Amino acid sequence: MNLLSRMTGPEQLKALDERDLPELAQEIRDYLVAAVSRTGGHLGPNLGVVELTIALHRVFESPRDAIVFDTGHQSYVHKLLTGRHDFSGLRQQGGLSGYPSRAESTHDIVESSHASSSLSWAHGIAEGRRVTGERARHTVAVIGDGALTGGMAWEALNNIAAESDLPLVLVVNDNERSYAPTKGGLADHLATLRTTRGYERFLDWGKHTLARTPVVGGAMYETLHGLKKGLKDIVAPQGLFEDLGLKYIGPVDGHDIPAVEAALRKARAFGGPVLVHVITQKGRGYVHAEVDEADNFHGIGTINPETGLPLEIAGRSWTDEFSDTMLALGRERADLVAITAAMMMPVGLQPFADVYPERTFDVGIAEQHALTMAAGLAFAGTHPVVAVYATFLNRAFDQLLMDCALHRAGVTVILDRSGITGPDGASHHGMWDLAICGVVPGLRLAAPRDGQHVSSAVRDAVQVGDAPTVVRFPKGTVGAPIEAVRVAGGVDVIVEPDDAAVDVLLVGIGSMVATAVVVAGKLAAEGLRVRVVDPVWALPVPGELAALAEAADRVVVIEDGVVAGGVGSQVAYAVSAAGCTTPVECLGVPREFLDHGTRAQVLHAAGLTAEAITARLN
């Protein structure tokens, strides 16, 4: 780390001799492999952008020039080059964020890890600086080819292209992947550009060869140059971008620092919006990532850096339960189809896709399209299952409301990573879904408390053909089954007091049922009579809950979603509407953006541990 240790900011990088840059790049890769293997994180994407990030910081003047990273998981190299060398606590409580963080550095701008937004951010920054008279400052957006599948990116491009003199550089980091290989028409277009780099070389050949041809050579070259647009369409069809009015530079080898620097300097000098197409290799320089066909070590847990193998074998996950259920349902129902937004493997749909490829749709990072497409699939006689991370449902609320619910579409939405997710921080916590879904007319939502209830909930959900259904479950290893002692009108009674009278009715939602059981034991040890129930289908609130509330002195709802507008508030309304005067207390995630840490640490900070809840209820 001789060179890397000297990189306390971009100034030191700019002062480095160009001949030393390959050595610096190797030091960065060695550091990333060693550090991220100990903590887990996004290794593959960062190994792929080492040279690109070096070039960006040598050509532009961050933070005077704003560099916006789309999604942000590829910002580790940027962190190192801006002086953040302690990765020992990466994605851990009190340590570095796995994404850009304004609290860490003035070089960081966009903290949200939701994709496809960087072009809009960059457009706004550039326009704002023009309005305030700071036209000499450049704005750079770094967006992956996967993020370009999101519609928001194209909305931004449409507006950016109308600006002829905005100092804005759009860098497309093209590694053919998001999590998995990028798919769709744009991916095909970029693939064509990757494989047809001959345009500039062809013109150079023509200029030098024809110039030596007597009499007609010069005229032939002028004619050839006049056919520039037609030649580009044949030899390097970048017309998709140029037809929008964007200057296009590339494709450029993203691992050739001088070439990338030259392209970026050319773009910086142009004086208007320029798109620089850079080709990189995800996982570059680490053989285990390079040969990983699944996702090139996109996101890893702790691993042995020598072998690339995980140090701990995780148990069966909530996602595994869903995945197996989908595969079984696929065999039983020919009308079942699956949709995901560039997350086939993370949400457990890959086994289904392997067996039923014609019934599986990966729409790219386009959650809005996924939900409305699902409504269309339902209209056509299928039952679509849309599997996404819970945090990304936020992006498709209008489509869930107006396209699915308004049209009574039989669409099932699977929300993986619901509630508190942990190390990925504020924009990855899936804590808003319960409040969002609670305002959608006709929608039914299940929050399974254990693995076997994931399967039963999914099976029940796909039976509903006249309204959207949602099944949500958390990240991580599924616990032991939690059996009910009896069922009361669709509500599972988990803990029943010996006495018929009940001091506290604890309503656990999803994975918080296990916490409610522990709280019940602690309260019972202090002499309180406690009943624990799981509504299973939490939305709309089962009518039986009002009757159970009538028999208790107080009701306490425990959920791992945001408490404002969550299931607890729905229970309180339902109890009051039934004429029951039993007070209802809502315990959930505060209406705040929560930092990164383990799930247990974040729940502790939110006061949602069994100990904290017990103390509060005493």
Side-chain angles (χ1 to χ4, degrees):
M1 276 185 56
N2 292 332
L3 294 175
L4 179 56
S5 63
R6 288 155 47 187
M7 298 299 110
T8 58
E11 298 79 13
Q12 286 72 36
L13 178 62
K14 292 176 188 291
L16 204 61
D17 191 291
E18 186 177 293
R19 292 170 296 182
D20 292 328
L21 296 179
E23 182 181 344
L24 173 62
Q26 187 59 52
E27 286 187 16
I28 291 173
R29 284 197 170 87
D30 292 343
Y31 180 85
L32 288 175
V33 171
V36 181
S37 66
R38 289 192 294 266
T39 63
H42 291 96
L43 181 57
N46 285 284
L47 292 173
V49 298
V50 174
E51 290 84 2
L52 171 58
T53 310
I54 289 172
L56 283 166
H57 278 293
R58 281 172 60 85
V59 172
F60 296 96
E61 297 181 23
S62 177
R64 175 178 169 76
D65 294 329
I67 301 177
V68 178
F69 290 92
D70 204 285
T71 308
H73 62 249
Q74 79 283 36
S75 64
Y76 294 5
V77 185
H78 164 77
K79 289 175 184 274
L80 288 171
L81 294 177
T82 52
R84 286 165 278 177
H85 295 170
D86 182 6
F87 274 45
S88 61
L90 179 69
R91 301 169 72 245
Q92 297 171 15
Q93 192 174 51
L96 289 180
S97 169
Y99 298 94
S101 168
R102 291 181 177 181
E104 290 178 9
S105 174
T106 57
H107 295 278
D108 292 4
I109 296 172
V110 179
E111 300 188 3
S112 171
S113 55
H114 288 196
S116 308
S117 66
S118 64
L119 304 188
S120 297
W121 266 99
H123 186 208
I125 292 169
E127 289 284 16
R129 287 178 171 173
R130 175 158 63 181
V131 169
T132 57
E134 297 184 280
R135 297 175 63 93
R137 301 174 69 178
H138 282 77
T139 305
V140 184
V142 183
I143 184 168
D145 60 314
L148 274 181
T149 60
M152 186 176 176
W154 290 91
E155 293 175 20
L157 280 172
N158 180 56
N159 283 272
I160 290 168
E163 306 291 345
S164 61
D165 61 348
L166 206 60
L168 181 56
V169 178
L170 315 177
V171 179
V172 176
N173 172 32
D174 179 5
N175 62 18
E176 307 179 58
R177 308 180 75 91
S178 47
Y179 270 91
T182 307
K183 297 180 180 179
L186 173 66
D188 293 341
H189 180 81
L190 291 176
T192 303
L193 289 177
R194 283 184 222 111
T195 56
T196 52
R197 304 189 199 187
Y199 167 71
E200 299 295 344
R201 290 195 297 271
F202 182 67
L203 274 187
D204 286 342
W205 169 84
K207 181 176 182 179
H208 291 99
T209 302
L210 293 176
R212 296 196 298 268
T213 304
V215 184
V216 298
M220 287 182 66
Y221 176 73
E222 292 302 320
T223 302
L224 178 64
H225 199 270
L227 295 175
K228 179 178 179 179
K229 182 64 171 69
L231 278 171
K232 281 190 173 182
D233 288 342
I234 296 169
V235 184
Q238 57 262 53
L240 174 65
F241 300 111
E242 291 197 334
D243 286 349
L244 279 173
L246 288 170
K247 173 68 176 175
Y248 173 93
I249 298 175
V252 180
D253 181 351
H255 302 295
D256 182 338
I257 297 176
V260 179
E261 282 194 27
L264 292 175
R265 292 186 193 282
K266 185 177 180 181
R268 187 185 65 180
F270 180 67
V274 181
L275 187 145
V276 181
H277 181 191
V278 178
I279 299 173
T280 63
Q281 179 188 12
K282 195 173 182 179
R284 175 88 168 193
Y286 182 47
V287 64
H288 301 298
E290 290 180 348
V291 301
D292 179 48
E293 294 183 3
D295 63 3
N296 296 122
F297 281 25
H298 178 89
I300 61 169
T302 55
I303 63 170
N304 181 333
E306 299 297 326
T307 64
L309 298 175
L311 293 178
E312 298 179 1
I313 303 301
R316 187 166 179 79
S317 71
W318 296 82
T319 307
D320 291 334
E321 300 288 348
F322 162 68
S323 183
D324 289 353
T325 303
M326 275 296 290
L327 200 55
L329 285 169
R331 291 190 294 267
E332 299 167 19
R333 291 185 53 166
D335 66 328
L336 196 74
V337 298
I339 307 174
T340 189
M343 287 191 165
M344 194 72 72
M345 288 186 60
V347 298
L349 282 180
Q350 191 62 56
F352 184 91
D354 290 341
V355 179
Y356 306 107
E358 74 287 352
R359 288 157 55 187
T360 308
F361 306 93
D362 185 344
V363 300
I365 302 176
E367 292 84 1
Q368 292 174 309
H369 171 59
L371 266 294
T372 301
M373 179 186 178
L377 283 163
F379 177 77
T382 70
H383 191 102
V385 176
V386 183
V388 297
Y389 283 6
T391 181
F392 298 131
L393 180 67
N394 305 353
R395 303 164 69 111
F397 172 70
D398 184 62
Q399 289 69 29
L400 177 66
L401 180 69
M402 293 299 174
D403 293 318
C404 296
L406 177 64
H407 293 88
R408 302 182 183 277
V411 172
T412 295
V413 180
I414 304 296
L415 299 182
D416 201 323
R417 273 73 163 175
S418 68
I420 300 302
T421 56
D424 284 325
S427 58
H428 257 57
H429 291 309
M431 53 190 266
W432 291 277
D433 60 306
L434 294 173
I436 286 173
C437 291
V439 301
V440 178
L443 180 145
R444 297 180 60 197
L445 181 143
R449 64 178 179 264
D450 56 31
Q452 66 184 27
H453 283 87
V454 170
S455 180
S456 60
V458 173
R459 286 184 169 277
D460 289 344
V462 298
Q463 293 298 322
V464 178
D466 60 354
T469 52
V470 176
V471 179
R472 54 112 61 186
F473 47 80
K475 177 183 180 179
T477 303
V478 70
I482 302 173
E483 301 296 338
V485 297
R486 67 183 178 93
V487 178
V491 176
D492 284 359
V493 179
I494 310 299
V495 174
E496 190 79 288
D498 294 333
D499 197 315
V502 176
D503 295 311
V504 182
L505 175 67
L506 287 179
V507 183
I509 305 300
S511 63
M512 300 307 290
V513 170
T515 301
V517 170
V518 177
V519 171
K522 292 179 178 295
L523 293 176
E526 297 175 10
L528 293 176
R529 297 161 297 184
V530 183
R531 175 178 287 141
V532 177
V533 298
D534 171 15
V536 184
W537 284 87
L539 297 174
V541 174
E544 182 63 23
L545 268 183
L548 292 167
E550 189 74 55
D553 292 339
R554 65 195 293 202
V555 178
V556 179
V557 182
I558 308 173
E559 58 189 303
D560 62 350
V562 65
V563 70
V567 174
S569 64
Q570 301 263 0
V571 171
Y573 177 80
V575 168
S576 174
C580 175
T581 58
T582 303
V584 178
E585 187 171 355
C586 305
L587 303 182
V589 178
R591 187 165 50 188
E592 301 170 3
F593 291 111
L594 305 178
D595 242 338
H596 59 278
T598 65
R599 175 177 163 85
Q601 287 170 336
V602 178
L603 287 173
H604 180 269
L608 290 177
T609 62
E611 293 75 15
I613 293 171
T614 302
R616 180 169 176 172
L617 297 183
N618 274 332

